[in-house]
Amino acid sequence: MVRMGQWLTRYVVIDAVLVAAAWWLAFGLRFGFRSLAAGEYTHIAISGFPAAMVCMLMGLFLARVNRQTWRFVSLVDLRRLAGGALAGGLLTAAAIQLMQMPGFPRSVFLLFMLTTVILLGGVRATARSLGERQQAQQQRHEGQQRLLIVGTLAEADHALRQLKGSARWLVVGIVSPLSDELGHSLQNVPVLGTVQQLDQIAHVKQTRMVLLASPPGAPLRREMLMHTGEAGLSLLTLPDADQWLDAEASTDLRQVQLEDLLGRTPVALDDHGLTELMSGKTVLVTGAGGSIGSELCRQIARFGVARLVCVDVSEYAIYQLEQSLRRSHPHMQGVYLTANVREAERLDAILMAYKPVLVLHAAAYKHVPLMESQNAVEALRTNVLGTVNVAGAAGRAGVQRFVLVSTDKAVNPTNVMGASKRLAERVVQDVAGQYPATQFVAVRFGNVLGSSGSVVPLFSAQIARGGPVTVTHPDIVRYFMTIPEAAQLVLQAGLMGRSRQIFVLDMGEPVKIAELARLLIRLSGKTEQDVPIAFTGLRPGEKLYEELLADDETTERTPHAKLRIAKVGADDSAVSGQVLAWLNEAGPAPTGEAVRAWLKRQVPEYQPNDSTG
């Protein structure tokens, strides 16, 4: 504290000396330094000097200029300095006018303000420049890794700001996709060439490290990945906002991941509305240990819930979630319960005990081939009966909002999993009629990158084994989004939705699974010669193209750009009772054929596809 006080005192003293110099400099500029030295106007300058010093220092003090640290001065600090000088100059003019000094030149006031800004700002800028040069020299001696930035000047500017002061990275050049930016420089870093010349530039600059400054999902990122895989360059990217906020996550540059190549513009959430819905209240999530469920829990924790009730059938998954949330949100009250959504009485007890305002139902079986034959009845018991139980318990407990996490496979389903989720949507609409005080909605979206059971972990494991990477068909396409994006849109739909509505998420452009496999192979640092792709044929119940019904003919727009409402008529049939009756009648082991036949009667648009070709 003593040392800090000494530095602050030193700053103030230097500022006072500079203000005094600015006053005399203003007179010299106004009347000429020779005339001032001859004493022609010295008496005027001396008579106004005390008032000028007091008023200017007072203006700077009011702008808190005395608290600035010169070594880290920024444009914001310089704007504050200019404001303080303006205030000081106006105070000086007012004081001298009150002193009624005849013949005092008014132009001196403007010159006084300008010279004050120039002298004080110049000293600060010099201090920062010297500090940065000293730091750069120290870092060069410590052996930084040389780095090229790929992106436009605007993108490179953002990256350079993030890397400023880094002890690990030394940026040696910028490679721009725009030829007209060649020859420019940014923060003394030159634009060395275009992306077509990257290999040559990397060789000349003796580096294999490349930072992609373009935003996630930009075409340049995919182009660079396919280009640099054979060149042996290592692609890096800046950490995202969540990593900066996560105390456990590294905020250094990281390897490019699949999400960086397929990601899109971040979701714009109604933070005020979600905070109002959840802050200080209780929220319950089923399937909380799964990929979507756990991300829902992490997103919900951001909105200041008083209590988050996490329900999952897996003991290990709920334990992992508990450990993660306790580290990241130590002050949040979490309740971690192992329970099966098939058990209605257990769910009733939980919801009656905790009385949540919002229930997010993410518990489900979702693996298409596994649910297609021997496990078909399990899809019904978890996906449909489970939804009957959770939705009914939510209605009886007086929950404000209930959200079912559904899937694009519920649209014109060709498999048991998709048909069971479509029937679950009908269940939600049915239960909504029984409990009008609760808003029951469903949200459909496609595949989620990295979720359990998705192709990404499967492909990654196959690549690690040396291949082949198995793709069912060269033309098969799927919609993808990141786990955080899916969770955020589920929350947004839950806030906006009205009973019996089914929301469809904007999944962007579909991606060929074969292209996805190629991207993952390149991300692993290998080529298709190292890890081949093998096509195995469509599996039972699998479509070439998933449908989201996200066009103007089949959906209605909402105020949110990434959410639409499916034009699906509300279901007036007592489907919940029919589900319970049939499962009781079918017994513990109905055949897959029996399950599919019953599903076909309940979901007319269900067209089983047993093709394996």
Side-chain angles (χ1 to χ4, degrees), residues 467-490:
V469 175
T470 56
V471 178
T472 57
H473 194 282
D475 296 325
I476 191 169
V477 297
R478 291 291 182 265
Y479 294 92
F480 285 96
M481 63 169 40
T482 65
I483 293 176
E485 184 179 17
Q488 290 166 6
L489 286 173
V490 167

Side-chain angles (χ1 to χ4, degrees), residues 196-263:
Q196 290 76 20
Q197 302 166 306
L198 179 60
D199 293 352
Q200 180 183 355
I201 294 170
H203 177 71
V204 172
K205 288 299 180 179
Q206 299 180 341
T207 179
R208 312 309 294 169
M209 312 301 290
V210 177
L211 171 63
L212 297 183
S214 54
L220 179 61
R221 290 201 171 201
R222 294 197 207 185
E223 178 188 341
M224 293 306 303
L225 178 66
M226 303 307 288
H227 174 72
T228 59
E230 297 176 358
L233 300 179
S234 180
L235 297 185
L236 305 174
T237 187
L238 291 165
D240 56 33
D242 289 338
Q243 287 176 296
W244 285 105
L245 295 173
D246 189 348
E248 296 183 354
S250 171
T251 54
D252 196 8
L253 303 185
R254 58 174 175 79
Q255 292 287 333
V256 169
Q257 300 170 355
L258 189 61
E259 290 85 346
D260 302 313
L261 303 172
L262 301 181

Side-chain angles (χ1 to χ4, degrees), residues 52-73:
M53 286 293 295
V54 171
C55 292
M56 181 57 72
L57 290 175
M58 184 180 298
L60 296 174
F61 177 80
L62 292 174
R64 302 173 71 87
V65 172
N66 60 303
R67 293 182 175 272
Q68 292 177 351
T69 303
W70 294 3
R71 176 73 178 271
F72 305 106
V73 71

Side-chain angles (χ1 to χ4, degrees), residues 152-448:
T152 64
L153 284 177
E155 294 164 347
D157 178 64
H158 173 71
L160 285 169
R161 291 175 186 276
Q162 297 292 328
L163 292 170
K164 204 169 190 66
S166 170
R168 182 177 178 185
W169 303 104
L170 177 64
V171 180
V172 295
I174 298 169
V175 178
S176 174
L178 306 178
S179 58
D180 58 353
E181 292 184 345
L182 183 62
H184 291 73
S185 66
L186 189 67
Q187 300 182 33
N188 292 326
V189 179
V191 178
L192 301 174
T194 60
V195 293
Q196 290 76 20
Q197 302 166 306
L198 179 60
D199 293 352
Q200 180 183 355
I201 294 170
H203 177 71
V204 172
K205 288 299 180 179
Q206 299 180 341
T207 179
R208 312 309 294 169
M209 312 301 290
V210 177
L211 171 63
L212 297 183
S214 54
L220 179 61
R221 290 201 171 201
R222 294 197 207 185
E223 178 188 341
M224 293 306 303
L225 178 66
M226 303 307 288
H227 174 72
T228 59
E230 297 176 358
L233 300 179
S234 180
L235 297 185
L236 305 174
T237 187
L238 291 165
D240 56 33
D242 289 338
Q243 287 176 296
W244 285 105
L245 295 173
D246 189 348
E248 296 183 354
S250 171
T251 54
D252 196 8
L253 303 185
R254 58 174 175 79
Q255 292 287 333
V256 169
Q257 300 170 355
L258 189 61
E259 290 85 346
D260 302 313
L261 303 172
L262 301 181
R264 298 189 297 279
T265 305
V267 176
L269 290 178
D270 180 2
D271 287 340
H272 176 74
L274 289 169
T275 300
E276 192 173 85
L277 173 65
M278 291 185 277
S279 179
K281 299 170 186 174
T282 298
V283 176
L284 183 144
V285 180
T286 70
S291 307
I292 299 299
S294 59
E295 182 61 29
L296 282 170
C297 292
R298 282 186 282 271
Q299 297 288 343
I300 290 166
R302 296 171 44 218
F303 294 101
V305 292
R307 182 166 52 197
L308 177 58
V309 183
C310 306
V311 180
D312 199 283
V313 71
S314 168
E315 176 190 31
Y316 180 70
I318 207 72
Y319 167 75
Q320 291 286 87
L321 179 65
E322 176 189 25
Q323 297 302 304
S324 174
L325 289 179
R326 282 188 174 177
R327 286 192 301 267
S328 57
H329 299 279
H331 302 296
M332 182 191 72
Q333 181 185 352
V335 180
Y336 304 93
L337 304 174
T338 56
N340 196 324
V341 294
R342 301 178 182 186
E343 300 172 358
E345 293 182 357
R346 170 70 168 150
L347 293 173
D348 273 325
I350 291 172
L351 271 80
M352 286 297 184
Y354 295 104
K355 296 284 185 181
V357 298
L358 171 66
V359 170
L360 298 162
H361 179 39
Y365 283 138
K366 60 182 183 178
H367 197 278
V368 170
L370 281 179
M371 295 297 110
E372 195 58 27
S373 54
Q374 289 91 345
N375 297 306
V377 72
E378 297 300 306
L380 286 187
R381 287 175 179 149
T382 295
N383 296 357
V384 185
L385 177 61
T387 301
V388 172
N389 294 339
V390 179
R396 289 186 288 275
V399 171
Q400 290 183 23
R401 292 184 175 274
F402 172 93
V403 182
L404 167 69
V405 176
S406 189
T407 172
D408 56 355
K409 294 175 178 62
V411 182
N412 298 325
T414 59
N415 50 65
V416 170
M417 196 284 283
S420 69
K421 293 300 282 186
R422 175 66 188 114
L423 190 52
E425 293 175 352
R426 291 185 57 204
V427 163
V428 170
Q429 293 181 320
D430 176 25
V431 175
Q434 303 172 34
Y435 302 98
T438 301
Q439 301 292 326
F440 288 88
V441 301
V443 183
R444 289 176 183 165
F445 55 84
N447 300 276
V448 178

Side-chain angles (χ1 to χ4, degrees), residues 147 195 387 391 441 451 544 558:
L147 179 71
V195 293
T387 301
V441 301
S451 64
L544 270 180
T558 73

